[in-house]
Amino acid sequence: MNKLKIPAVPSIRRLPSYMYIIRQAEAEGQEFISGTVIAEELHLEAIQVRKDLAITGIIGKPKKGYPIKALIDAIENFLGWNTVRKAIIVGAGSLGTALAGYQEFKSHGLSIVAAFDSDPGKIGKTIHDVPVFSIDFIAEKIKELNPVIALLTLPSSEAQAVADNIVKAGIDVFWNFTNVKIKVPPHVLVEKEDLTSGYAMLGVMMNTRDAQ
């Protein structure tokens, strides 16, 4: 997998949470928001918020904070949310169906144009208005629809073989929700989403709280 040098990964992961607070302030008619307000809402240090926002190139004004509209534009531009990117879901099971119905993707520029599965009972139907096609025709549909991202939600045992076919068909960006680490050429980007790790962290937090 290609090892890109991504700056400030923890900061990037915090930016969507900041955006939620900033959008709330915008809805309330505010023109400026301070790093301190964002920090207090999320139980963070204000200096951390300011450092995180600095990676977007935005500069706040003394005693006023950040102009909200400019701040939203800066974050969306940095995260690539102001560019519409077409994606496919490979695996139309429970997780794939849930992702297809997640409306926040649309507001962040991710447009899911198709889903694929090997189950005859799902092929030809739709999940949240997303058409489901046979995985046997995934190469043809990729050429037809021109997606740039593949979300992998299929059984882990099938992930590598399917990923190989998808790369051959022209997609070089994967959001991998399976339990396996797929092997891809150096130019291909992969973000592995490990839901089990998230739950593991939550479990430790609960155990720690209960022991106190």
Side-chain angles (χ1 to χ4, degrees), residues 186-204:
H187 72 282
V188 176
L189 303 179
V190 180
E191 174 64 18
K192 190 176 186 306
E193 199 70 47
D194 194 340
L195 300 179
T196 305
S197 292
Y199 180 58
M201 179 59 68
L202 186 60
V204 171

Side-chain angles (χ1 to χ4, degrees), residues 4-173:
L4 293 179
K5 292 183 178 180
I6 305 297
V9 172
S11 297
I12 293 171
R13 293 189 181 279
R14 284 189 289 266
L15 287 178
S17 296
Y18 296 173
M19 182 67 90
Y20 179 77
I21 304 301
I22 297 162
R23 286 288 190 190
Q24 281 188 318
E26 181 188 41
E28 293 169 0
Q30 299 180 39
E31 295 184 6
F32 289 84
I33 188 169
S34 70
T36 300
V37 169
I38 298 173
E40 289 176 348
E41 289 286 340
L42 298 173
H43 305 290
L44 298 171
E45 296 293 333
I47 190 171
Q48 182 65 69
V49 172
R50 289 193 289 270
K51 286 181 178 180
D52 291 346
L53 294 177
I55 66 175
T56 70
I58 192 75
I59 298 175
K61 296 184 177 181
K63 298 183 180 180
K64 279 193 172 184
Y66 301 91
I68 286 179
K69 291 189 180 298
L71 182 56
I72 290 173
D73 289 343
I75 294 174
E76 288 189 335
N77 181 66
F78 181 76
L79 297 177
W81 285 358
N82 56 357
T83 301
V84 176
R85 294 184 172 99
K86 293 195 288 187
I88 59 172
I89 291 176
V90 188
S94 299
L95 180 54
T97 299
L99 293 174
Y102 186 57
Q103 295 302 308
E104 286 295 311
F105 283 156
K106 293 181 180 179
S107 63
H108 300 331
L110 186 65
S111 175
I112 298 174
V113 296
F116 296 87
D117 207 279
S118 58
D119 183 351
K122 298 175 181 176
I123 296 168
K125 298 182 178 180
T126 61
I127 50 174
H128 300 287
D129 297 323
V130 175
V132 181
F133 300 101
S134 170
I135 201 165
D136 293 336
F137 300 103
I138 192 168
E140 291 88 337
K141 283 295 178 181
I142 287 173
K143 288 179 171 59
E144 175 187 333
L145 299 171
N146 295 311
V148 296
I149 305 173
L151 283 66
L152 300 182
T153 58
L154 72 169
S156 297
S157 59
E158 303 171 16
Q160 185 62 59
V162 171
D164 291 343
N165 290 334
I166 292 174
V167 171
K168 290 178 182 177
I171 290 181
D172 59 6
V173 182

